[in-house]
Amino acid sequence: MAHLSDLHYGPRHLEEADRCFSAAVDRAIELAVDVAVISGDATDHALDLHAPAALRLLAQVRRLADQCPVLMLQGTCSHEPPGTLSVFRMLGSRHRVFVADRIGQVALIVSASSRDLSATDASCADLWLASEGPRFAEVPPGARALFTCIPSINKAAVAAAVGATAAAEAQGEQLARLLQGYAGIHGVARAADVPTLAVSHGTVFGCVTEHGVPMAGFDHEFTTGALLSAGAQATLLGHIHRHQAWTQGEGERRQCIAYAGSIGRFHHGEQGDKGFLLWEFGPGGVDCRLEPTPARRTLDIVFEGRPDLDQLRDAASAQELAGVSVRVRWTVADEDRHEVDRGAIERALFAAADVQLEGRIVPVVRTRAPGISQLVNLADKVRAWATATDVHAQPLLECLERVTTTEPEDIVAAVLAIPDAGAKAQGGLDPAEKDPRLDLFETA
């Protein structure tokens, strides 16, 4: 079985998503898998049916469904608005695509001649048999595999029912009870040598994100204990973009929980390989392995201060940048932001597939002197400001005295007389040789 997840088809990541998903479909066809599962977030957001992302996703799923039956699970509502997947029910592929958009079970009914079925065969519609309620009362005859489907939970609906403060804890408790309720039917199916699989989309407490951040807290859907309590041999998860797995037991009693991870590398800094999971069920139990996809490479170049172009060129020459997405980050003070030459950075990284520039500007922190607005005398205000900013006040007070007691014409005459002498003393231009106003401008 091929387990794919988090395809995130949309205009922003279309090339990455389609290249990686296409490679995964090619590999699944090459391996002649019996069934495929897409465990949520096939799209990045709502798509118009005529949009390029929607057309390319439909074409790839059609290729996969021509190879084997496909189950698609409803993912996060913000990525896959309810109803988004309905169109996949009407693909008309060689094998039927089952869309799991409610909590329930579905059995894969495959006859020996199912691979010879045409899309117009009436029996093709019977490849998937769904339960009327949350679960089957008994294992359907002819079932080759039993899937328990728990789509992404709408937390807003939970909050509306129990209140926002109790929503996180209530959601976890209800899901744990729901999973325990499937243990009986899973046990019956396993006794009949029917593989049992749970498919869901959410966060497991303690899992690690693609950026290396452990997920802790009470607002996550699952714990490994709750998932294992369902008694399914395999638990196929989506939502977290990093492949990881947990196992319990050995042989026929082995249980495995796994995230397939995202099909491609959609953000900078993502850790781990990208691909899809190949699950195998046999007398020795269940196991899975990651089949890699040609996800893009990313490179981060970080400067603590203003980007050093020489260091940047050295880093670019030391790396093979063809096909690599590069992100350059720096941190500068607000008054130095204009000194960063973005064009020069992009020219230094011309060989990269794309360049993303992220500058962090440290704002100027202005300190207000307490009580300064209550002071009447301007000199007192200058002293208060100088104290708050750790500035020597005397030169300022002397300047203030000259400004307030000297005629404007005398101040201008004094200022005009100073630069000429300063320029000559420092070996500058002779005012007699140039227009005095130009000399004054250059000195300034």
Side-chain angles (χ1 to χ4, degrees), residues 105 135-140 146 148 181-190 196:
Q105 288 188 309
R135 65 178 178 83
F136 290 113
E138 58 183 21
V139 179
L146 181 64
T148 297
Y182 287 111
I185 188 70
H186 285 160
V188 173
R190 292 179 67 176
T196 55

Side-chain angles (χ1 to χ4, degrees), residues 57-127:
L57 174 59
L58 286 164
Q60 297 293 358
V61 174
R62 170 67 185 265
R63 282 208 308 134
L64 185 60
D66 281 340
Q67 161 65 30
C68 63
V70 177
L71 184 150
M72 297 185 71
L73 186 80
Q74 167 72 52
T76 311
C77 294
S78 58
H79 289 305
E80 255 169 12
T84 300
L85 301 181
S86 297
V87 66
F88 290 94
R89 295 187 173 103
M90 300 178 284
L91 271 185
S93 48
R94 185 164 177 263
H95 297 280
R96 182 183 169 195
V97 176
F98 182 85
V99 175
D101 51 8
R102 66 174 179 86
I103 294 174
Q105 288 188 309
V106 58
L108 177 62
I109 311 295
V110 182
S111 65
S113 60
S114 65
R115 292 190 179 276
D116 298 325
L117 291 175
S118 68
T120 57
D121 239 313
S123 57
C124 184
D126 296 329
L127 286 174

Side-chain angles (χ1 to χ4, degrees), residues 150-180:
I150 304 177
S152 182
I153 304 299
N154 188 342
K155 294 184 179 179
V158 180
V162 301
T165 57
E169 187 174 352
Q171 176 178 263
E173 291 176 353
Q174 294 299 325
L175 284 172
R177 292 177 60 190
L178 175 69
L179 289 165
Q180 290 173 4

Side-chain angles (χ1 to χ4, degrees), residues 327-392:
R327 178 174 63 178
V328 182
R329 289 177 147 183
W330 66 87
T331 302
V332 295
D334 193 16
E335 60 267 24
D336 297 329
R337 63 192 304 175
H338 64 282
E339 297 183 7
V340 178
D341 190 340
R342 291 174 172 260
I345 295 174
E346 292 178 341
R347 288 191 294 273
L349 301 171
F350 70 94
D354 63 86
V355 178
Q356 182 177 330
L357 305 181
E358 294 184 5
R360 178 174 175 266
I361 308 302
V362 180
V364 176
V365 179
R366 307 187 185 278
T367 304
R368 182 173 179 83
I372 193 172
S373 61
Q374 300 176 6
L375 299 175
V376 178
N377 188 289
L378 185 55
D380 291 338
K381 291 186 177 185
V382 171
R383 291 188 186 93
W385 176 85
T387 301
T389 57
D390 196 23
V391 172
H392 189 43

Side-chain angles (χ1 to χ4, degrees), residues 250-273:
E250 296 294 335
E252 295 182 355
R253 301 184 62 83
R254 179 181 173 86
Q255 291 178 272
C256 185
I257 304 168
Y259 282 104
S262 58
I263 199 70
R265 200 177 311 277
F266 300 125
H267 304 95
H268 281 271
E270 292 192 17
Q271 303 172 2
D273 295 329

